[in-house]
Amino acid sequence: MNILKKLLGFLWLAGGIAGIGYLPFHAAQKIAEGKQEDIVFWSIMVFIFIPILLGLSLFGWYAIKGEYEEL
Amino acid sequence: MQTKAATERSKIWSVITASSVGTLIEWYDFYIFGSLATILSEQFFPKDNPTAAFLSTLATFAAGFVVRPFGALVFGRLGDIVGRKYTFLLTLVLMGGSTFAIGLIPGYASIGVFAPLLVLLLRLIQGLALGGEYGGAATYVAEHSPAHRRGYFTSFIQTTATLGLFVSLGVILGVKNSMGAADFASWGWRIPFILSIFLVVISIYIRMKMEESPLFAKAKAEGKTSSNPLKESFTKKGNLKMVLLALFGATAGQGVIWYTGQFYAMSFIEKNCAISFDQTRYITAIALIIGTPFFILFGAWSDKIGRKAIMMVGMFLAILAYQPIYHKMYELADIKTKQEIPSQKAIETQNDVSADIATTTIIHTYTDGTLLKETKKEKLNPTTADKPEIKQEKVLATGGFWMMVFLVAVQVIFVTMVYGPIAAFLVELFPTRIRYTSMSLPYHIGNGIFGGLTPFIATFLYESSKTQTNPAGDAFAGLWYPIGVAAVCVVIGTLYVSGKFQDMEH
């Protein structure tokens, strides 16, 4: 079980990093379309989800380091 | 001995009442703001003014999810330093006071752009206060509860969402029916906001009489409270890893399951299935009445078999069942699969010459009893640019209606499985000295952001599914958001979250 926790840790870490790379790119495309609602919505999405994705990466990092083994 | 036990019992119910009234107001406000959105936008956010429209979007998003996690940090910190009682007294005053004040703001016609600015400001205060309210209520009840009944007692807080809906519907319908639709749209809409002050005063009175939580009082007496709960919660690895686990292994999934079952289902029935406004609300209300006792059932059961098992099974069942349930809901309202009775077709036409509009209403009756009302509005003297406005509204027959109630109730039961034990689960994850701060943040990110964004992301997925070959899009595409988040959460929760009961006396 602990090996699986560690292996999946790579998935959470990679998922978080991929999201951090993709989200601003996609948001910029939407914002460039110039719709007022899109500007607010996608700005908020970036503002909110970047820290969450950082959190997911950190969770993955902790899992790889075995921080959740004893739970 | 019996007297002492009776006093203890009476005390815990007072604690639950004091805590629940605050969350009830929270929901009351949530529902009246949502139900009166059309009137509010006319009063404060006229669409022809771009600044007002921009502020409207901000007011919707800001209070919904951006500000709540900040409120969790601000009031969580205060609750861990000053105490639970005074902090959630403050959140109650701010939240209830803001709701009350919205009812007093002059409209856009009177004070121009100050009107939407004031609404936005009050919504921000509400959002901040909301971020502190739930954590305070859950912590306060949990810290008064005996360990073996913590799930049962905290589950009562979870039922306030349903109560809030019914109180708001009762007040809105009561006020509207007592004065007529025109007066209600003109000034009567203010009454539900202003009436919230009664709930606030009652709640303040009850909360003022309560004592501080025994676990916090003990920690404070022993000098064991934290001087900097934010730093301790989010910079120390031992606690931060639990905050992340709470978010990704529980609250994110709980948030999407909850919003899907109690809100997205209603929106799907009304918009995608085109069921009438009234019938959609009856379906939702009955399903909520059926489902609500299960909050307490699963909360109590979690005291026996553990929180994790119930929450994970709830999420897992939702993941498996959402697509079939929503396909069945769609099918129930799909007239392509029904046979019309041509002899019962009724057509009515009304011409309003002064408004230059012709309204044609066609009522189709189907063999299973379903009615379809098609309303077509078009100009009496149309130009080539004028397109008729067509609206469809269905009313399901008894069988279809109850099947729809059943399908929504099943989703509400999934909600109760993940939401019923969550307060006890979260409070048990963190030590007394930083509990309020540590549990509030993942709860509000899970609920406010992952859950609150469900309608927007689901709509985005649906719109993205529209292609040239399939211009209508996939009506079920939006479901992949809650399914995806819940799936990640089930994996993380099952593998990483401990199933053991946690001792809170630390």
Side-chain angles (χ1 to χ4, degrees), chain B residues 357-396:
Chain B
I357 288 176
T359 307
T360 309
T361 308
I362 308 171
I363 296 175
H364 306 266
T365 305
Y366 296 85
T367 50
D368 70 346
T370 301
L371 296 175
L372 166 66
K373 185 176 163 190
E374 272 185 311
T375 310
K376 187 168 136 186
K377 285 187 178 178
E378 57 192 334
K379 289 263 174 85
L380 283 167
N381 301 299
T383 62
T384 47
D386 291 324
K387 285 184 182 171
E389 183 190 316
I390 300 170
K391 193 180 157 196
Q392 283 195 340
E393 205 178 63
K394 295 168 206 164
V395 176
L396 295 172

Side-chain angles (χ1 to χ4, degrees), chain A residues 1 5 8 48-49 67-68, chain B residues 237 241 449 453 495-496:
Chain A
M1 188 67 93
K5 284 182 188 178
L8 281 171
I48 287 174
F49 273 102
E67 290 290 336
Y68 296 105
Chain B
K237 191 168 69 178
K241 72 177 186 187
I449 294 175
L453 281 171
L495 282 176
Y496 297 86

